Amino acid sequence: MSANSRLTIAAHTLAWIGQYQRQGHEVATSEQIAASANTNPVVIRRLLGELREAGLVESRRGAGAGWSLTRDLASMTLLDVYDAIEPGQLFALHRASPDEGCVIGHGIQPALHDIYAGIERTVRTELSKTTLEDVLQAVLAVPR
């Protein structure tokens, strides 16, 4: 099972746009952001579409097309970003009901439900404590 990097790429994208706007630019292109993240612009455009639906970014079409933040990085948390790009629960139970005749099949879902709910609460609490401004400042503090 591989780790999901969508939150990392989305945070990278928002921090990049925020820094770019602070340098006096109005909008950023998906190609610029993709070059920084070393990924395909299509990946960035898909994430930006989800972030737009959540109200974190907006797009401009036509001449001078690109993306901009809808609010300050200090007012966006990693939880806002997570909710925008990762719908649903962190962990899922079986899609089909396990064998109720089996002792493990009978008890696995109730046993894991509370554990997973606790993990989800912890993750959401921790993500809500960190703003994208915090992320940008941490990025800028890394020695080059």
Side-chain angles (χ1 to χ4, degrees):
M1 189 179 331
S2 65
N4 184 335
S5 64
R6 287 171 44 84
L7 180 59
T8 301
I9 295 171
H12 183 138
T13 297
L14 292 168
W16 198 96
I17 294 171
Q19 180 67 7
Y20 194 62
Q21 287 182 293
R22 288 178 185 180
Q23 294 170 343
H25 304 278
E26 287 188 40
V27 296
T29 67
S30 55
E31 289 79 11
Q32 292 169 315
I33 301 162
S36 175
N38 195 25
T39 192
N40 192 300
V42 171
V43 171
I44 300 299
R45 280 192 287 276
R46 285 184 185 140
L47 277 174
L48 284 165
E50 293 173 58
L51 296 169
R52 178 180 49 211
E53 287 179 25
L56 301 177
V57 297
E58 59 189 6
S59 60
R60 181 188 299 171
R61 295 179 185 257
W67 298 87
S68 60
L69 301 178
T70 58
R71 45 190 233 229
D72 191 73
L73 291 175
S75 70
M76 289 184 210
T77 67
L78 284 175
L79 181 59
D80 296 327
V81 181
Y82 177 79
D83 285 341
I85 64 166
E86 297 293 346
Q89 298 174 314
L90 189 57
F91 297 108
L93 298 174
H94 294 83
R95 291 178 195 224
S97 296
D99 181 359
E100 287 291 320
C102 169
V103 65
I104 302 301
H106 175 76
I108 192 72
Q109 290 192 353
L112 290 177
H113 179 269
D114 291 341
I115 295 167
Y116 289 171
I119 293 168
E120 183 87 24
R121 278 191 303 275
T122 300
V123 167
R124 295 182 69 75
T125 297
E126 291 303 311
L127 291 175
S128 72
K129 293 178 183 178
T130 305
T131 69
L132 271 290
E133 182 65 33
D134 298 331
V135 171
L136 178 59
Q137 292 309 312
V139 167
L140 296 175
V142 173
R144 293 189 90 185

